[in-house]
C-alpha cells in the first residue's frame, strides 16, 4: 500500500508528510529522505498497534526539529525515534563533555586547529567533520566500547588535515590508533 500524503500545521508552518502504517515497526519514528522536492520527504512511520493520532502528536512535538532538518538537509538520510529522543535529551550534556574531552586528549597527538565540537542525535553517522573545521558526533559514542569511541574521534580529527579517505588519511589515523582499520571494520558490522 502506498504511503498516504498528509499535512499538519505547526506554528503557522505547513508540514507535509507521508504516513506509513507498518506491521514490522516497533516504534513511532520520523525519517527524512533527501528527495526531489525542496526539503526532502518526511515519512512518519506508525506501528499498527499504535494510533495515527499518537503518531501525529509525536510529529507535531518534533515539528521544529523536522522542519529544521528538512531545510538543512544536505543529502543524507536522517532518522529520529521516540526512545532515542528522550535518551538524547537526558544524556546530551554528558555526551558533549565526553566527546570534548576525547577531542582534546587525542588532539595532543596532532595539534590541529578546529572550531566547534557538537553532539547530535544522528543515527546514520557516528561523526562528521565540516570543511570549516566543525566536528560533530553522535551522542551514542557514549554507548560504544571506549576503543571505538576513540577511533571515531581520531577519524574525524584527521579529516581536519585530510578531507578524504586516502592512504595519507589512514597513515595519520594510525599514528594515534594503530589498529584503526580493524576497528573501522568492526564498527561497520555493528
Ligand atoms: Zn571519514
Amino acid at each position: 500500500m502506498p504511503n498516504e500524503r498528509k499535512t499538519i500545521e505547526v506554528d503557522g508552518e505547513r508540514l507535509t508528510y507521508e504516513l506509513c502504517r507498518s506491521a514490522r515497526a516497533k516504534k513511532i519514528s520520523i525519517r527524512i529522505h533527501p528527495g526531489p522536492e525542496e526539503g526532502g520527504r518526511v515519512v512518519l512511520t506508525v506501528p499498527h498497534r499504535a494510533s495515527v493520532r499518537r503518531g501525529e502528536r509525536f510529529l507535531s512535538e518534533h515539528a521544529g526539529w523536522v522542519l529544521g532538518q528538512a531545510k538543512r538537509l544536505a543529502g543524507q538520510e536522517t532518522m529520529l525515534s521516540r526512545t532515542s529522543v528522550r535518551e538524547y535529551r537526558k544524556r546530551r550534556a554528558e555526551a558533549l563533555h565526553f566527546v570534548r574531552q576525547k577531542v582534546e586528549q587525542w588532539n595532543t597527538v596532532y595539534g590541529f586547529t578546529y572550531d566547534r565540537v557538537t553532539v547530535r542525535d544522528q543515527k546514520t553517522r557516528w561523526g562528521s567533520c565540516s570543511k570549516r573545521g566543525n566536528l560533530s558526533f553522535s551522542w551514542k559514542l557514549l554507548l560504544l566500547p571506549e576503543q571505538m569511541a576513540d577511533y571515531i574521534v581520531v577519524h574525524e580529527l584527521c579529516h581536519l588535515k585530510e578531507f578524504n579517505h586516502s592512504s595519507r588519511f589512514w597513515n595519520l589515523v594510525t599514528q594515534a590508533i594503530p589498529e584503526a582499520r580493524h576497528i573501522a571494520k568492526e564498527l561497520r558490522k555493528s
Side-chain angles (χ1 to χ4, degrees):
M1 214 175 86
N3 292 343
E4 188 185 345
R5 274 177 76 89
K6 304 184 84 171
T7 303
I8 54 167
E9 221 180 285
V10 187
D11 298 333
E13 281 206 73
R14 283 161 67 82
L15 172 56
T16 302
Y17 68 96
E18 294 173 24
L19 175 66
C20 169
R21 293 291 272 165
S22 165
R24 274 183 311 156
K26 291 204 171 60
K27 50 194 175 192
I28 297 170
S29 66
I30 303 163
R31 255 176 221 271
I32 304 172
H33 301 271
E37 306 149 53
E38 195 194 336
R41 278 170 55 221
V42 177
V43 179
L44 173 69
T45 300
V46 181
H48 275 315
R49 57 183 175 75
S51 70
V52 173
R53 262 182 69 191
R54 230 181 95 198
E56 288 184 335
R57 205 182 319 131
F58 179 66
L59 182 63
S60 64
E61 274 166 20
H62 297 94
W65 178 87
V66 171
L67 290 165
Q69 286 294 309
K71 279 176 194 153
R72 228 175 294 127
L73 197 70
Q76 89 243 33
E77 191 177 315
T78 179
M79 182 190 173
L80 179 82
S81 71
R82 191 173 194 92
T83 42
S84 90
V85 168
R86 204 185 300 132
E87 274 285 292
Y88 168 62
R89 288 208 183 121
K90 239 190 326 190
R91 303 195 66 182
R92 202 191 119 88
E94 185 191 350
L96 190 58
H97 179 73
F98 176 80
V99 299
R100 285 199 168 142
Q101 236 178 2
K102 289 270 177 221
V103 168
E104 261 176 55
Q105 177 202 327
W106 286 108
N107 199 38
T108 57
V109 177
Y110 300 107
F112 295 150
T113 306
Y114 52 87
D115 193 7
R116 279 186 305 148
V117 178
T118 52
V119 155
R120 292 188 202 162
D121 187 18
Q122 42 193 20
K123 277 226 162 176
T124 52
R125 303 168 83 183
W126 288 109
S128 60
C129 174
S130 78
K131 289 221 153 147
R132 298 181 147 191
N134 294 318
L135 302 170
S136 170
F137 297 94
S138 164
W139 74 271
K140 289 186 174 169
L141 254 65
L142 271 185
L143 311 177
L144 286 177
E146 187 142 19
Q147 190 196 33
M148 282 189 178
D150 284 335
Y151 158 71
I152 291 159
V153 167
V154 168
H155 182 117
E156 299 310 334
L157 264 176
C158 289
H159 278 320
L160 290 166
K161 177 96 187 285
E162 292 291 336
F163 213 76
N164 53 55
H165 292 119
S166 63
S167 52
R168 274 192 318 239
F169 167 79
W170 284 106
N171 286 340
L172 215 51
V173 173
T174 49
Q175 278 176 30
I177 315 250
E179 64 280 24
R181 281 175 189 268
H182 172 72
I183 299 171
K185 234 183 261 168
E186 290 296 305
L187 201 59
R188 252 174 266 133
K189 275 190 255 163
S190 68

